[in-house]
Amino acid sequence: MKYNLLQDKVYKFAIKAVKLHIHLYKNRKEVIEISRQFLRSSTSIGANLEEAIGAVSRKEFLQKLGICYKEARETLYWVNLMKDTDIIKKEIAEVLNRDIVEIVKIITKIQKTTKVSSNL
């Protein structure tokens, strides 16, 4: 499949997000709502990517990929907020940021490539 690399990265990121959410839920109940928001956006990336791969048209593919992009950007926001409010350690945030920025770059590249090839 053409997008295996992205699928793999998004899935592995979602696993990290779930594990972080479980940790925060057990140990930091006061921040549970922020953790839930982070969990929702981070796992939504992969769900929407699967919908994009199953799209029946290029337009639908780009639309779902656009949702992936938005959810990835939102996830980046939640990671930075958790870092800057000391909910998570800086080192954890750096790993998550590195992963999500890479995912955003890959999604952006696929979007640009798909748009260009649809104009041919």
Side-chain angles (χ1 to χ4, degrees), residues 55-63 114-119:
V56 296
S57 69
R58 188 168 290 194
K59 181 180 177 181
E60 182 185 4
F61 174 78
L62 286 169
Q63 178 187 26
T114 304
K115 288 177 184 175
V116 168
S117 66
S118 67
N119 290 331

Side-chain angles (χ1 to χ4, degrees), residues 88-101:
I88 61 174
K89 294 179 181 177
K90 181 180 176 185
E91 298 79 19
I92 293 170
E94 287 173 357
V95 170
L96 295 173
N97 275 338
R98 183 175 55 243
D99 290 348
I100 200 66
V101 165

Side-chain angles (χ1 to χ4, degrees), residues 49-69:
L49 178 61
E50 291 300 323
E51 287 190 33
I53 292 168
V56 296
S57 69
R58 188 168 290 194
K59 181 180 177 181
E60 182 185 4
F61 174 78
L62 286 169
Q63 178 187 26
K64 292 298 180 180
L65 207 59
I67 295 170
C68 293
Y69 176 82

Side-chain angles (χ1 to χ4, degrees), residues 11-26:
Y11 189 77
K12 287 178 180 173
F13 185 83
I15 290 170
K16 289 178 186 178
V18 169
K19 288 181 178 182
L20 176 58
H21 174 72
I22 291 168
H23 172 77
L24 292 173
Y25 187 82
K26 288 180 181 176

